[in-house]
Amino acid sequence: MLNVTKLYCGISQPADALRYGQGEQAPRTAQLRRPVVVWNITRTCNLRCVHCYAGSEAKPYPGELTLPECKALLADLAQFKVPAVLLSGGEPLVHPHFFKLAGCALSLGLRLTLSTNGILINPQTAARLRAFNFAYVGISLDGIGEAHDKFRGREGAFALAVEAFRNCKAAGQKAGLRLTLSRNNIADLDRILDFVEAEAIERVCFYHLVHSGRGADLQMASLQETRAALDRIISRTAQWAKTGREVLTVGQPVDGVYLYLRLLREGQGERAAEARKLLEWNGGGAFGSGVGIGNIDSFGNVHPDQFWQTHTIGNVRHQPFSAIWQNSQDPLLLGLRRRDAQITGRCAQCQFLKLCGGGFRVRAAHATGNPWAPDPSCYLTDAEIAENPK
């Protein structure tokens, strides 16, 4: 996860300690940080989104973790001192014990965040989320009006998501917009940015498409479209610098390199040097999947990240997550933690490998069958990866 507000504007953000090694709670190095855990508490969903990495549908999935198993998992995560647990799905709010799990996590001192489609966030639910001390509620929005409804597979989904944002704001619950950039919605980007501004949404997070689950059928934006989208996102972030709004991108560490090169082009040498220092500490993808991010699915399977559902490194029914994460000899997990020696092609030859960490490995795996192949969504030119910037 890359914080555009911090890197481009120099404005401090709450997670600077974890992302950039700044603040009292910062780990000594990015490699030593505990993982943020994305936990898909159920695969059941009330929508059928075209990009769903879990392939979720509105049906029960037998064999999901029981309530006692969920509580034992939360206790282990608390003991392991993970920095945050992101409750996801499916749609997490359809889980019959959602607020029991939230209450258990709260009692254990865990920092909870939520990823939701917003359909079920009425005023009462928004108030309960605030009462259970959710640090952040991320509501997915992938277009304006009918574009979002088509993406989500349900007429009226956009209107309900808008109400979810407003209900959270009325309850005092911090909420933000989450969007997956693809060929299907990138033309809508300016309208989405306008919507963020009009609704005074506090946080916006842009995900780059990964061809996982049903997302395998979506078209990725072209490299030129992606560059243009990043420029529009960065420019709008600069306009919002004094509003307190936080802008992030996820799933493409090269965004940091592109931002750095833009600062150099604009003659902001001092800001560029600071951004580069932060990016080098963070390491990009090198300390993401399998290091700073981990995933547990609704059946207890542990994955390097939420998009890597095709590879399992253990199951919490047989061994605690903390033990799996620290002791596994899984070849892919070990490779992700020593990826510099594994990466091939233009990623291996890139002068910015230490800043980007070789892109998003799961995207290379899904696209080519080889997790160490070049990230096919890297949009830097050959000249940019080969030449020292002046």
Side-chain angles (χ1 to χ4, degrees):
M1 183 173 284
L2 182 139
N3 194 310
V4 180
T5 307
K6 171 67 175 177
L7 295 171
Y8 191 76
C9 304
I11 299 172
S12 296
Q13 301 293 320
D16 285 351
L18 192 62
R19 293 194 193 109
Y20 304 118
Q22 297 185 336
E24 293 181 4
Q25 303 301 316
R28 196 165 68 254
T29 68
Q31 192 170 19
L32 295 176
R33 59 190 172 192
R34 290 282 196 257
V36 171
V37 174
V38 179
W39 180 18
N40 302 89
I41 61 174
T42 182
R43 190 175 170 187
T44 302
C45 191
N46 49 7
L47 296 180
R48 198 178 188 280
C49 305
V50 298
H51 65 317
C52 180
Y53 62 79
S56 295
E57 297 186 35
K59 66 179 185 180
Y61 290 89
E64 294 186 329
L65 295 178
T66 64
L67 181 58
E69 287 172 330
C70 288
K71 289 183 174 181
L73 170 56
L74 287 168
D76 176 59
L77 296 179
Q79 173 274 326
F80 193 39
K81 294 183 168 54
V82 300
V85 179
L86 170 61
L87 300 183
S88 188
E91 170 50 49
L93 285 168
V94 306
H95 193 289
H97 304 301
F98 177 84
F99 282 106
K100 286 183 181 178
L101 295 178
C104 178
L106 181 60
S107 70
L108 291 165
L110 286 164
R111 182 178 185 270
L112 278 185
T113 59
L114 174 64
S115 176
T116 174
N117 58 41
I119 296 294
L120 298 176
I121 301 184
N122 57 28
Q124 294 75 28
T125 300
R128 292 190 78 186
L129 291 170
R130 179 70 182 89
F132 278 82
N133 203 31
F134 274 80
Y136 166 71
V137 172
I139 300 169
S140 296
L141 196 80
D142 291 289
I144 301 297
E146 291 182 4
H148 176 77
D149 289 355
K150 184 176 181 180
F151 216 84
R152 295 279 156 179
R154 174 173 168 175
E155 187 177 349
F158 175 76
L160 290 169
V162 172
E163 286 303 305
F165 285 114
R166 293 172 180 173
N167 290 335
C168 284
K169 182 173 288 295
Q173 171 61 58
K174 183 178 180 179
L177 184 151
R178 298 157 61 88
L179 177 142
T180 299
L181 291 166
S182 74
R183 180 66 62 83
N184 300 55
N185 62 13
I186 204 163
D188 232 5
L189 180 58
D190 287 322
R191 293 179 68 201
I192 291 162
L193 292 167
D194 290 343
F195 173 82
V196 169
E197 189 168 322
E199 294 290 329
I201 294 170
E202 301 169 83
R203 192 176 193 255
V204 55
C205 193
F206 295 97
Y207 284 72
H208 290 262
L209 177 67
V210 178
H211 287 129
S212 179
R214 284 197 295 271
D217 297 327
L218 281 186
Q219 277 193 309
M220 192 174 291
S222 72
L223 304 186
Q224 285 302 319
E225 286 173 327
T226 303
R227 289 173 73 102
L230 259 292
D231 276 327
R232 301 209 297 277
I233 290 167
I234 292 169
S235 294
R236 192 69 69 99
T237 303
Q239 294 175 26
W240 291 338
K242 295 181 180 179
T243 67
R245 185 172 293 118
E246 187 178 21
V247 180
L248 307 103
T249 68
V250 180
Q252 183 43 280
V254 80
D255 290 349
V257 176
Y258 187 73
L259 182 152
Y260 165 70
L261 292 173
R262 172 166 164 161
L263 285 168
L264 288 178
R265 289 196 303 271
E266 294 173 343
Q268 298 191 60
E270 187 174 338
R271 178 75 248 135
E274 176 63 17
R276 179 164 187 144
K277 183 174 75 172
L278 297 176
L279 290 167
E280 287 176 344
W281 188 94
N282 180 275
F287 305 127
S289 304
V291 180
I293 187 80
N295 171 248
I296 305 166
D297 69 26
S298 61
F299 305 99
N301 297 310
V302 177
H303 310 284
D305 64 49
Q306 67 270 40
F307 300 104
W308 223 314
Q309 301 292 303
T310 53
H311 187 87
T312 298
I313 60 177
N315 188 288
V316 301
R317 282 179 163 141
H318 309 307
Q319 195 177 22
F321 174 86
S322 56
I324 295 169
W325 202 252
Q326 294 179 98
N327 303 323
S328 174
Q329 295 303 301
D330 179 83
L332 177 61
L333 186 66
L334 295 178
L336 289 169
R337 294 172 178 178
R338 299 193 295 263
R339 67 179 65 194
D340 279 10
Q342 317 280 339
I343 292 172
T344 64
R346 75 194 301 268
C347 284
Q349 299 158 8
C350 180
Q351 65 164 320
F352 297 115
L353 180 59
K354 294 297 182 184
L355 276 69
C356 172
F360 207 35
R361 293 293 93 212
V362 68
R363 186 180 290 109
H366 288 325
T368 70
N370 177 6
W372 315 119
D375 183 339
S377 71
C378 175
Y379 51 85
L380 295 183
T381 66
D382 289 343
E384 286 169 333
I385 73 169
E387 297 175 4
N388 290 321
K390 296 179 181 180

